[in-house]
């Protein structure tokens, strides 16, 4: 998934628009973009929107976190509609994913759905403890499909006045949160998804952030506005040159038999380069630019 677009669950208009934004996934939000009084309405609308989604559209639901006492009602409303996955906010570690997975299992059985069909993608850096516990996601659940991070809640939690410096760059704590997300995703062998760019009118900065994220190993990014989707999709779709290079490298290894190292146009490539090329080709297939 390259782009995942948040849509507040209590807005019928945005729910409708969200599905035409060409995001790889729509995230129907039941958490922070919905005021407490509107949660019941959002649950009902979420269920309806998931059932009515155009075929082939992936949909996730961001439920309320496990400490709120709201998660069970969220699951009861949306699981029967069969979303593709759940976003777990303020996740404190692999044990939270396991706890949600157990709840999901019960909800799936009650809804007559197969056990394990609904994926989980936690937001793993929204508190200090959570950010220091990210290694615990490795092997925590077969439902885990990716990890993403948050800079807004973390800023509030640690008492930072801002998460950016005078040049618009994330300050150290937030760069650490971003980095541990990449490392935890690698340790868990799942996708690393970059956090939202809240300044949704500034598409130039969004593009820069996407390019830096793609360079560093993220394979997608959260969006909050439909206008952000095309920039994200474009940057996270492997370019034709990158695909051709990766194909050439895979072919060179295949031609060389069981070689651990090959030469291509005067450069040495070994197994890590092969793995990187294979990952890029798999992303290109997911993005629909390679058969
Ligand atoms: N999903 C679907 N539609 C959206 C949308 C979204 N995330 N964000 C904006 N739109 C729609 C608007 O409703 C508007 O529709 P209209 O042309 O029919 O009136 C159109 O896109 C243009 O929106 P715009 O006027 O540029 O923005 P806005 O001021 O209406 O909304 C936000 C700005 C930030 C409130 C809105 O983008 C939003 O709600 N984003 C998601 C917030 C969220 O879920 N946060 C939680 C995760 S951090
Ligand atoms: Mg939040």
């Amino acid at each position: 998934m390259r782009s995942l677009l948040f849509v507040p669950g209590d807005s019928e208009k945005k729910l409708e628009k969200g599905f035409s934004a060409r995001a790889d996934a729509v995230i129907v939000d039941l958490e922070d973009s919905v005021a407490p009084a509107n949660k019941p309405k959002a649950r009902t609308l979420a269920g309806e929107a998931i059932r009515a989604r155009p075929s082939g559209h992936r949909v996730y639901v961001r439920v309320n976190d496990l400490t709120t006492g709201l998660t069970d009602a969220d699951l009861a409303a949306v699981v029967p509609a069969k979303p593709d996955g759940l976003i777990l906010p303020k996740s404190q570690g692999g044990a939270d994913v396991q706890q949600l997975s157990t709840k999901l299992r019960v909800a799936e059985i009650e809804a007559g759905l197969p056990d394990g069909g609904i994926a989980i993608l936690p937001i793993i850096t929204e508190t200090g403890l959570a950010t220091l516990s990210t290694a615990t996601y490795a092997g925590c659940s077969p439902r885990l499909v990716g990890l993403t991070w948050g800079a807004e809640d973390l800023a509030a939690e640690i008492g930072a006045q801002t998460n950016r410096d005078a040049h618009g760059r994330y300050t150290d704590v937030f760069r650490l949160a971003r980095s541990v997300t990449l490392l935890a995703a690698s340790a868990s062998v799942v996708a690393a998804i970059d956090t939202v760019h809240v300044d949704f009118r500034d598409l130039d900065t969004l593009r820069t952030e996407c390019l830096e994220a793609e360079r560093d190993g993220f394979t997608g990014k959260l969006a909050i506005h439909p206008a952000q989707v095309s920039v994200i999709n474009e940057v996270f779709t492997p370019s034709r040159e990158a695909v051709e290079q990766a194909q050439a490298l895979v072919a060179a290894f295949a031609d060389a038999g069981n070689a651990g190292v090959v030469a291509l146009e005067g450069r040495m490539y070994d197994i890590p380069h092969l793995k990187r090329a294979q990952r890029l080709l798999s992303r290109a297939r997911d993005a629909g630019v390679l058969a």
Side-chain angles (χ1 to χ4, degrees), residues 163-226:
N163 47 33
R164 308 258 188 185
D165 67 15
H167 309 288
R169 310 272 304 167
Y170 280 118
T171 55
D172 285 349
V173 171
F174 303 94
R175 296 200 72 74
L176 174 72
R178 178 182 183 277
S179 299
V180 296
T181 304
L182 284 166
L183 295 172
S186 157
S188 310
V189 201
V190 295
I193 305 294
D194 197 20
T195 193
V196 293
H197 180 61
V198 290
D199 195 354
F200 62 86
R201 302 267 181 245
D202 184 358
L203 297 181
D204 290 339
T205 307
L206 172 70
R207 178 177 295 275
T208 304
E209 225 171 79
C210 290
L211 289 165
E212 291 177 354
E214 205 265 347
R215 174 198 66 196
D216 292 346
F218 288 98
T219 55
K221 188 171 175 71
L222 302 174
I224 51 159
H225 190 284

Short mmCIF file of all heavy atoms in Angstrom, two decimals, residues 163-226:
data_model
loop_
_atom_site.label_atom_id
_atom_site.label_comp_id
_atom_site.label_asym_id
_atom_site.label_seq_id
_atom_site.Cartn_x
_atom_site.Cartn_y
_atom_site.Cartn_z
N ASN A 163 7.07 19.73 16.81
CA ASN A 163 7.91 18.59 16.43
C ASN A 163 8.85 18.94 15.28
O ASN A 163 9.56 18.09 14.79
CB ASN A 163 7.05 17.35 16.12
CG ASN A 163 5.88 17.66 15.21
OD1 ASN A 163 6.00 18.53 14.34
ND2 ASN A 163 4.77 16.96 15.39
N ARG A 164 8.83 20.21 14.86
CA ARG A 164 9.69 20.64 13.74
C ARG A 164 10.59 21.77 14.20
O ARG A 164 10.22 22.56 15.05
CB ARG A 164 8.82 21.17 12.59
CG ARG A 164 7.71 20.22 12.15
CD ARG A 164 8.07 19.52 10.89
NE ARG A 164 6.96 18.75 10.36
CZ ARG A 164 7.07 17.97 9.30
NH1 ARG A 164 8.22 17.86 8.66
NH2 ARG A 164 6.03 17.28 8.86
N ASP A 165 11.77 21.88 13.57
CA ASP A 165 12.65 23.01 13.88
C ASP A 165 12.34 24.18 12.95
O ASP A 165 11.38 24.13 12.17
CB ASP A 165 14.13 22.58 13.81
CG ASP A 165 14.57 22.22 12.38
OD1 ASP A 165 13.84 22.56 11.41
OD2 ASP A 165 15.64 21.61 12.24
N ALA A 166 13.16 25.23 13.04
CA ALA A 166 12.89 26.46 12.27
C ALA A 166 12.94 26.21 10.76
O ALA A 166 12.36 26.96 9.98
CB ALA A 166 13.91 27.53 12.65
N HIS A 167 13.63 25.13 10.33
CA HIS A 167 13.71 24.81 8.90
C HIS A 167 12.64 23.81 8.46
O HIS A 167 12.65 23.35 7.32
CB HIS A 167 15.09 24.24 8.56
CG HIS A 167 16.22 25.09 9.04
ND1 HIS A 167 16.54 26.30 8.47
CD2 HIS A 167 17.07 24.92 10.08
CE1 HIS A 167 17.56 26.84 9.12
NE2 HIS A 167 17.90 26.03 10.11
N GLY A 168 11.75 23.47 9.38
CA GLY A 168 10.68 22.53 9.02
C GLY A 168 11.07 21.07 9.15
O GLY A 168 10.31 20.18 8.78
N ARG A 169 12.28 20.80 9.66
CA ARG A 169 12.72 19.40 9.82
C ARG A 169 12.25 18.89 11.17
O ARG A 169 12.23 19.64 12.14
CB ARG A 169 14.27 19.32 9.80
CG ARG A 169 14.93 20.02 8.64
CD ARG A 169 15.08 19.18 7.44
NE ARG A 169 15.80 17.93 7.70
CZ ARG A 169 15.83 16.92 6.83
NH1 ARG A 169 15.15 17.00 5.71
NH2 ARG A 169 16.50 15.82 7.11
N TYR A 170 11.92 17.60 11.23
CA TYR A 170 11.59 17.01 12.53
C TYR A 170 12.77 17.15 13.48
O TYR A 170 13.92 17.00 13.07
CB TYR A 170 11.25 15.53 12.38
CG TYR A 170 9.85 15.26 11.88
CD1 TYR A 170 9.63 14.61 10.68
CD2 TYR A 170 8.75 15.66 12.63
CE1 TYR A 170 8.34 14.37 10.22
CE2 TYR A 170 7.45 15.42 12.18
CZ TYR A 170 7.26 14.78 10.98
OH TYR A 170 5.99 14.55 10.54
N THR A 171 12.48 17.46 14.75
CA THR A 171 13.55 17.52 15.75
C THR A 171 13.94 16.08 16.14
O THR A 171 13.29 15.11 15.73
CB THR A 171 13.11 18.33 16.98
OG1 THR A 171 11.90 17.76 17.47
CG2 THR A 171 12.87 19.79 16.60
N ASP A 172 15.00 15.97 16.96
CA ASP A 172 15.64 14.67 17.19
C ASP A 172 14.69 13.57 17.66
O ASP A 172 14.74 12.45 17.16
CB ASP A 172 16.77 14.81 18.21
CG ASP A 172 17.99 15.49 17.60
OD1 ASP A 172 18.02 15.64 16.36
OD2 ASP A 172 18.90 15.86 18.36
N VAL A 173 13.85 13.88 18.64
CA VAL A 173 12.98 12.84 19.21
C VAL A 173 12.10 12.24 18.11
O VAL A 173 11.87 11.04 18.06
CB VAL A 173 12.10 13.41 20.34
CG1 VAL A 173 11.04 12.40 20.76
CG2 VAL A 173 12.95 13.81 21.52
N PHE A 174 11.63 13.11 17.21
CA PHE A 174 10.71 12.64 16.17
C PHE A 174 11.46 11.91 15.06
O PHE A 174 10.95 10.96 14.48
CB PHE A 174 9.86 13.81 15.66
CG PHE A 174 9.12 14.43 16.82
CD1 PHE A 174 9.66 15.52 17.50
CD2 PHE A 174 7.97 13.84 17.30
CE1 PHE A 174 9.04 16.03 18.63
CE2 PHE A 174 7.34 14.34 18.43
CZ PHE A 174 7.87 15.44 19.10
N ARG A 175 12.69 12.31 14.82
CA ARG A 175 13.51 11.56 13.86
C ARG A 175 13.83 10.17 14.43
O ARG A 175 13.88 9.19 13.71
CB ARG A 175 14.80 12.33 13.52
CG ARG A 175 14.53 13.65 12.82
CD ARG A 175 15.72 14.18 12.05
NE ARG A 175 15.98 13.40 10.84
CZ ARG A 175 15.25 13.46 9.73
NH1 ARG A 175 14.21 14.24 9.66
NH2 ARG A 175 15.57 12.72 8.69
N LEU A 176 14.00 10.12 15.75
CA LEU A 176 14.22 8.81 16.38
C LEU A 176 12.98 7.94 16.21
O LEU A 176 13.08 6.76 15.85
CB LEU A 176 14.53 9.00 17.88
CG LEU A 176 14.64 7.68 18.67
CD1 LEU A 176 15.93 6.95 18.32
CD2 LEU A 176 14.58 7.94 20.17
N ALA A 177 11.81 8.52 16.45
CA ALA A 177 10.56 7.75 16.32
C ALA A 177 10.42 7.22 14.88
O ALA A 177 10.05 6.06 14.66
CB ALA A 177 9.36 8.63 16.68
N ARG A 178 10.75 8.07 13.92
CA ARG A 178 10.69 7.68 12.50
C ARG A 178 11.68 6.53 12.25
O ARG A 178 11.35 5.54 11.59
CB ARG A 178 11.02 8.91 11.65
CG ARG A 178 11.07 8.69 10.15
CD ARG A 178 11.46 10.02 9.50
NE ARG A 178 11.48 9.97 8.05
CZ ARG A 178 12.50 9.52 7.34
NH1 ARG A 178 13.59 9.07 7.93
NH2 ARG A 178 12.44 9.55 6.00
N SER A 179 12.89 6.67 12.79
CA SER A 179 13.92 5.65 12.56
C SER A 179 13.56 4.32 13.20
O SER A 179 13.74 3.26 12.58
CB SER A 179 15.28 6.12 13.11
OG SER A 179 15.69 7.29 12.46
N VAL A 180 13.04 4.35 14.43
CA VAL A 180 12.73 3.07 15.07
C VAL A 180 11.58 2.37 14.33
O VAL A 180 11.48 1.14 14.34
CB VAL A 180 12.42 3.17 16.59
CG1 VAL A 180 13.63 3.64 17.36
CG2 VAL A 180 11.19 3.99 16.88
N THR A 181 10.74 3.14 13.67
CA THR A 181 9.66 2.53 12.89
C THR A 181 10.24 1.72 11.74
O THR A 181 9.81 0.59 11.47
CB THR A 181 8.69 3.61 12.38
OG1 THR A 181 8.21 4.35 13.49
CG2 THR A 181 7.53 3.00 11.60
N LEU A 182 11.24 2.30 11.06
CA LEU A 182 11.90 1.56 9.97
C LEU A 182 12.56 0.29 10.50
O LEU A 182 12.45 -0.78 9.89
CB LEU A 182 12.96 2.44 9.31
CG LEU A 182 12.45 3.53 8.38
CD1 LEU A 182 13.55 4.54 8.08
CD2 LEU A 182 11.93 2.91 7.08
N LEU A 183 13.24 0.41 11.64
CA LEU A 183 13.95 -0.75 12.18
C LEU A 183 12.97 -1.81 12.65
O LEU A 183 13.16 -3.01 12.41
CB LEU A 183 14.86 -0.30 13.35
CG LEU A 183 16.00 0.64 12.95
CD1 LEU A 183 16.70 1.17 14.19
CD2 LEU A 183 16.99 -0.08 12.05
N ALA A 184 11.90 -1.39 13.30
CA ALA A 184 10.91 -2.35 13.81
C ALA A 184 10.20 -3.05 12.65
O ALA A 184 9.90 -4.24 12.72
CB ALA A 184 9.89 -1.65 14.70
N ALA A 185 9.92 -2.30 11.57
CA ALA A 185 9.26 -2.91 10.41
C ALA A 185 10.19 -3.95 9.78
O ALA A 185 9.74 -5.04 9.38
CB ALA A 185 8.88 -1.84 9.40
N SER A 186 11.46 -3.62 9.72
CA SER A 186 12.42 -4.57 9.17
C SER A 186 12.51 -5.80 10.07
O SER A 186 12.47 -6.95 9.59
CB SER A 186 13.78 -3.87 9.03
OG SER A 186 14.81 -4.80 9.02
N ALA A 187 12.55 -5.59 11.38
CA ALA A 187 12.62 -6.72 12.32
C ALA A 187 11.37 -7.59 12.23
O ALA A 187 11.43 -8.79 12.45
CB ALA A 187 12.80 -6.20 13.75
N SER A 188 10.23 -6.96 11.92
CA SER A 188 8.96 -7.70 11.87
C SER A 188 8.66 -8.21 10.46
O SER A 188 7.63 -8.86 10.26
CB SER A 188 7.81 -6.78 12.31
OG SER A 188 8.11 -6.14 13.52
N VAL A 189 9.50 -7.84 9.50
CA VAL A 189 9.30 -8.18 8.09
C VAL A 189 7.91 -7.75 7.61
O VAL A 189 7.14 -8.52 7.02
CB VAL A 189 9.53 -9.70 7.81
CG1 VAL A 189 9.83 -9.92 6.33
CG2 VAL A 189 10.67 -10.25 8.64
N VAL A 190 7.58 -6.48 7.88
CA VAL A 190 6.33 -5.89 7.38
C VAL A 190 6.64 -4.51 6.81
O VAL A 190 7.74 -4.00 6.96
CB VAL A 190 5.25 -5.77 8.49
CG1 VAL A 190 4.82 -7.15 8.99
CG2 VAL A 190 5.73 -4.89 9.65
N ALA A 191 5.64 -3.91 6.17
CA ALA A 191 5.83 -2.61 5.53
C ALA A 191 5.99 -1.49 6.56
O ALA A 191 5.34 -1.50 7.60
CB ALA A 191 4.62 -2.31 4.64
N ALA A 192 6.86 -0.53 6.24
CA ALA A 192 6.98 0.69 7.04
C ALA A 192 6.22 1.79 6.31
O ALA A 192 6.49 2.07 5.14
CB ALA A 192 8.45 1.07 7.20
N ILE A 193 5.25 2.39 6.99
CA ILE A 193 4.41 3.42 6.39
C ILE A 193 4.70 4.74 7.08
O ILE A 193 4.61 4.84 8.32
CB ILE A 193 2.90 3.05 6.56
CG1 ILE A 193 2.60 1.65 6.00
CG2 ILE A 193 2.02 4.12 5.92
CD1 ILE A 193 2.75 1.50 4.50
N ASP A 194 5.02 5.76 6.31
CA ASP A 194 5.40 7.06 6.89
C ASP A 194 4.15 7.79 7.42
O ASP A 194 3.03 7.58 6.94
CB ASP A 194 6.11 7.91 5.84
CG ASP A 194 6.88 9.07 6.46
OD1 ASP A 194 7.18 9.03 7.68
OD2 ASP A 194 7.19 10.03 5.72
N THR A 195 4.39 8.68 8.38
CA THR A 195 3.28 9.38 9.04
C THR A 195 2.69 10.49 8.17
O THR A 195 3.19 10.80 7.09
CB THR A 195 3.75 9.94 10.40
OG1 THR A 195 2.60 10.35 11.16
CG2 THR A 195 4.67 11.15 10.21
N VAL A 196 1.62 11.09 8.65
CA VAL A 196 0.92 12.14 7.90
C VAL A 196 1.74 13.42 7.79
O VAL A 196 2.55 13.72 8.66
CB VAL A 196 -0.43 12.52 8.57
CG1 VAL A 196 -1.41 11.37 8.51
CG2 VAL A 196 -0.24 12.98 10.01
N HIS A 197 1.49 14.15 6.70
CA HIS A 197 2.00 15.51 6.56
C HIS A 197 0.78 16.41 6.77
O HIS A 197 -0.10 16.49 5.92
CB HIS A 197 2.60 15.69 5.17
CG HIS A 197 3.15 17.06 4.94
ND1 HIS A 197 4.19 17.56 5.70
CD2 HIS A 197 2.81 18.03 4.09
CE1 HIS A 197 4.46 18.79 5.30
NE2 HIS A 197 3.63 19.10 4.33
N VAL A 198 0.72 17.07 7.94
CA VAL A 198 -0.55 17.73 8.31
C VAL A 198 -0.81 19.02 7.53
O VAL A 198 -1.96 19.46 7.42
CB VAL A 198 -0.63 18.03 9.83
CG1 VAL A 198 -0.78 16.75 10.62
CG2 VAL A 198 0.54 18.84 10.31
N ASP A 199 0.27 19.62 6.97
CA ASP A 199 0.12 20.88 6.23
C ASP A 199 -0.37 20.52 4.82
O ASP A 199 0.40 20.49 3.87
CB ASP A 199 1.49 21.56 6.20
CG ASP A 199 1.40 23.00 5.79
OD1 ASP A 199 0.29 23.44 5.41
OD2 ASP A 199 2.44 23.67 5.82
N PHE A 200 -1.67 20.23 4.70
CA PHE A 200 -2.15 19.54 3.49
C PHE A 200 -2.19 20.39 2.23
O PHE A 200 -2.33 19.87 1.14
CB PHE A 200 -3.50 18.86 3.75
CG PHE A 200 -4.62 19.80 4.11
CD1 PHE A 200 -5.36 20.41 3.13
CD2 PHE A 200 -4.90 20.08 5.44
CE1 PHE A 200 -6.39 21.29 3.46
CE2 PHE A 200 -5.92 20.95 5.79
CZ PHE A 200 -6.67 21.57 4.79
N ARG A 201 -2.03 21.73 2.37
CA ARG A 201 -1.96 22.56 1.16
C ARG A 201 -0.56 22.56 0.54
O ARG A 201 -0.40 22.94 -0.62
CB ARG A 201 -2.34 24.01 1.47
CG ARG A 201 -3.72 24.18 2.07
CD ARG A 201 -4.78 24.44 1.01
NE ARG A 201 -6.07 24.62 1.62
CZ ARG A 201 -7.11 23.82 1.45
NH1 ARG A 201 -7.02 22.78 0.65
NH2 ARG A 201 -8.25 24.05 2.06
N ASP A 202 0.44 22.20 1.34
CA ASP A 202 1.83 22.30 0.89
C ASP A 202 2.28 20.99 0.25
O ASP A 202 2.93 20.16 0.89
CB ASP A 202 2.71 22.68 2.10
CG ASP A 202 4.15 22.91 1.69
OD1 ASP A 202 4.48 22.73 0.49
OD2 ASP A 202 4.96 23.25 2.58
N LEU A 203 1.96 20.84 -1.04
CA LEU A 203 2.27 19.58 -1.71
C LEU A 203 3.75 19.45 -2.06
O LEU A 203 4.26 18.34 -2.24
CB LEU A 203 1.40 19.42 -2.97
CG LEU A 203 -0.12 19.35 -2.71
CD1 LEU A 203 -0.87 19.18 -4.03
CD2 LEU A 203 -0.49 18.25 -1.74
N ASP A 204 4.48 20.60 -2.15
CA ASP A 204 5.91 20.54 -2.44
C ASP A 204 6.65 19.89 -1.27
O ASP A 204 7.51 19.02 -1.47
CB ASP A 204 6.48 21.94 -2.69
CG ASP A 204 5.99 22.50 -4.02
OD1 ASP A 204 5.58 21.69 -4.88
OD2 ASP A 204 5.99 23.73 -4.18
N THR A 205 6.31 20.33 -0.07
CA THR A 205 6.97 19.74 1.10
C THR A 205 6.55 18.28 1.26
O THR A 205 7.36 17.42 1.63
CB THR A 205 6.64 20.54 2.38
OG1 THR A 205 6.97 21.90 2.13
CG2 THR A 205 7.41 20.04 3.58
N LEU A 206 5.29 18.00 0.94
CA LEU A 206 4.83 16.60 0.99
C LEU A 206 5.70 15.75 0.07
O LEU A 206 6.15 14.66 0.43
CB LEU A 206 3.36 16.50 0.57
CG LEU A 206 2.85 15.06 0.39
CD1 LEU A 206 2.73 14.35 1.75
CD2 LEU A 206 1.50 15.04 -0.33
N ARG A 207 5.95 16.25 -1.15
CA ARG A 207 6.74 15.48 -2.12
C ARG A 207 8.15 15.22 -1.58
O ARG A 207 8.67 14.10 -1.65
CB ARG A 207 6.81 16.23 -3.45
CG ARG A 207 7.66 15.53 -4.52
CD ARG A 207 7.62 16.29 -5.83
NE ARG A 207 6.29 16.29 -6.40
CZ ARG A 207 5.77 15.32 -7.15
NH1 ARG A 207 6.50 14.27 -7.45
NH2 ARG A 207 4.55 15.41 -7.61
N THR A 208 8.76 16.27 -1.01
CA THR A 208 10.10 16.11 -0.44
C THR A 208 10.08 15.04 0.65
O THR A 208 10.96 14.17 0.71
CB THR A 208 10.59 17.46 0.15
OG1 THR A 208 10.52 18.43 -0.88
CG2 THR A 208 12.00 17.36 0.69
N GLU A 209 9.05 15.11 1.50
CA GLU A 209 8.96 14.15 2.60
C GLU A 209 8.78 12.72 2.06
O GLU A 209 9.35 11.77 2.59
CB GLU A 209 7.79 14.52 3.50
CG GLU A 209 8.12 14.47 4.96
CD GLU A 209 7.02 15.05 5.82
OE1 GLU A 209 6.01 14.35 6.06
OE2 GLU A 209 7.16 16.20 6.23
N CYS A 210 7.99 12.59 0.99
CA CYS A 210 7.79 11.27 0.37
C CYS A 210 9.10 10.75 -0.21
O CYS A 210 9.43 9.56 -0.04
CB CYS A 210 6.76 11.34 -0.75
SG CYS A 210 5.07 11.60 -0.21
N LEU A 211 9.83 11.62 -0.91
CA LEU A 211 11.09 11.19 -1.53
C LEU A 211 12.08 10.72 -0.46
O LEU A 211 12.75 9.70 -0.61
CB LEU A 211 11.70 12.33 -2.36
CG LEU A 211 10.96 12.66 -3.65
CD1 LEU A 211 11.40 14.01 -4.23
CD2 LEU A 211 11.18 11.55 -4.70
N GLU A 212 12.14 11.47 0.65
CA GLU A 212 13.06 11.09 1.73
C GLU A 212 12.61 9.78 2.38
O GLU A 212 13.44 8.95 2.75
CB GLU A 212 13.16 12.21 2.77
CG GLU A 212 13.88 13.43 2.22
CD GLU A 212 13.93 14.60 3.19
OE1 GLU A 212 13.32 14.54 4.27
OE2 GLU A 212 14.58 15.60 2.84
N ALA A 213 11.31 9.63 2.51
CA ALA A 213 10.79 8.40 3.13
C ALA A 213 11.08 7.20 2.25
O ALA A 213 11.54 6.15 2.71
CB ALA A 213 9.28 8.54 3.38
N GLU A 214 10.84 7.35 0.95
CA GLU A 214 11.07 6.25 0.00
C GLU A 214 12.56 5.88 -0.03
O GLU A 214 12.93 4.72 -0.02
CB GLU A 214 10.58 6.65 -1.38
CG GLU A 214 10.21 5.49 -2.30
CD GLU A 214 11.33 5.08 -3.22
OE1 GLU A 214 12.32 5.84 -3.35
OE2 GLU A 214 11.24 4.01 -3.81
N ARG A 215 13.39 6.92 -0.02
CA ARG A 215 14.85 6.71 0.02
C ARG A 215 15.25 5.87 1.24
O ARG A 215 16.09 4.99 1.17
CB ARG A 215 15.55 8.08 0.07
CG ARG A 215 17.05 8.03 0.26
CD ARG A 215 17.59 9.37 0.72
NE ARG A 215 17.12 9.69 2.07
CZ ARG A 215 17.15 10.89 2.62
NH1 ARG A 215 17.62 11.93 1.95
NH2 ARG A 215 16.72 11.08 3.86
N ASP A 216 14.60 6.14 2.37
CA ASP A 216 15.03 5.52 3.63
C ASP A 216 14.41 4.15 3.89
O ASP A 216 14.80 3.48 4.85
CB ASP A 216 14.70 6.46 4.80
CG ASP A 216 15.56 7.73 4.76
OD1 ASP A 216 16.56 7.75 4.00
OD2 ASP A 216 15.24 8.69 5.47
N GLY A 217 13.42 3.74 3.08
CA GLY A 217 12.88 2.39 3.26
C GLY A 217 11.38 2.31 3.53
O GLY A 217 10.83 1.22 3.65
N PHE A 218 10.73 3.47 3.68
CA PHE A 218 9.27 3.42 3.79
C PHE A 218 8.70 3.05 2.42
O PHE A 218 9.25 3.43 1.38
CB PHE A 218 8.71 4.78 4.22
CG PHE A 218 8.99 5.13 5.66
CD1 PHE A 218 10.05 5.96 6.00
CD2 PHE A 218 8.19 4.62 6.68
CE1 PHE A 218 10.32 6.28 7.32
CE2 PHE A 218 8.45 4.93 8.01
CZ PHE A 218 9.52 5.77 8.34
N THR A 219 7.57 2.33 2.43
CA THR A 219 6.98 1.93 1.15
C THR A 219 5.62 2.60 0.92
O THR A 219 4.96 2.34 -0.08
CB THR A 219 6.82 0.41 1.07
OG1 THR A 219 6.05 -0.03 2.20
CG2 THR A 219 8.17 -0.28 1.08
N GLY A 220 5.20 3.46 1.85
CA GLY A 220 3.94 4.18 1.67
C GLY A 220 3.83 5.26 2.72
O GLY A 220 4.69 5.38 3.59
N LYS A 221 2.74 6.04 2.59
CA LYS A 221 2.57 7.16 3.52
C LYS A 221 1.09 7.39 3.80
O LYS A 221 0.25 7.24 2.90
CB LYS A 221 3.19 8.42 2.90
CG LYS A 221 3.27 9.63 3.84
CD LYS A 221 4.11 10.73 3.20
CE LYS A 221 4.13 12.00 4.02
NZ LYS A 221 4.89 11.92 5.28
N LEU A 222 0.80 7.79 5.04
CA LEU A 222 -0.57 8.14 5.41
C LEU A 222 -0.91 9.49 4.78
O LEU A 222 -0.06 10.37 4.67
CB LEU A 222 -0.69 8.26 6.93
CG LEU A 222 -0.33 7.02 7.75
CD1 LEU A 222 -0.37 7.34 9.25
CD2 LEU A 222 -1.30 5.88 7.45
N ALA A 223 -2.19 9.66 4.41
CA ALA A 223 -2.66 10.94 3.85
C ALA A 223 -3.86 11.41 4.66
O ALA A 223 -4.58 10.60 5.26
CB ALA A 223 -3.06 10.75 2.39
N ILE A 224 -4.08 12.73 4.66
CA ILE A 224 -5.26 13.26 5.35
C ILE A 224 -6.18 14.04 4.42
O ILE A 224 -7.23 14.50 4.84
CB ILE A 224 -4.88 14.18 6.54
CG1 ILE A 224 -3.87 15.24 6.09
CG2 ILE A 224 -4.37 13.37 7.72
CD1 ILE A 224 -3.84 16.44 6.99
N HIS A 225 -5.72 14.24 3.17
CA HIS A 225 -6.53 15.03 2.23
C HIS A 225 -6.41 14.38 0.85
O HIS A 225 -5.32 13.93 0.48
CB HIS A 225 -6.00 16.48 2.20
CG HIS A 225 -6.88 17.44 1.48
ND1 HIS A 225 -6.94 17.48 0.11
CD2 HIS A 225 -7.73 18.38 1.93
CE1 HIS A 225 -7.81 18.42 -0.25
NE2 HIS A 225 -8.31 18.99 0.84
N PRO A 226 -7.51 14.35 0.09
CA PRO A 226 -7.46 13.69 -1.23
C PRO A 226 -6.34 14.23 -2.13
O PRO A 226 -5.75 13.47 -2.91
CB PRO A 226 -8.83 13.98 -1.84
CG PRO A 226 -9.73 14.21 -0.66
CD PRO A 226 -8.87 14.83 0.41
#
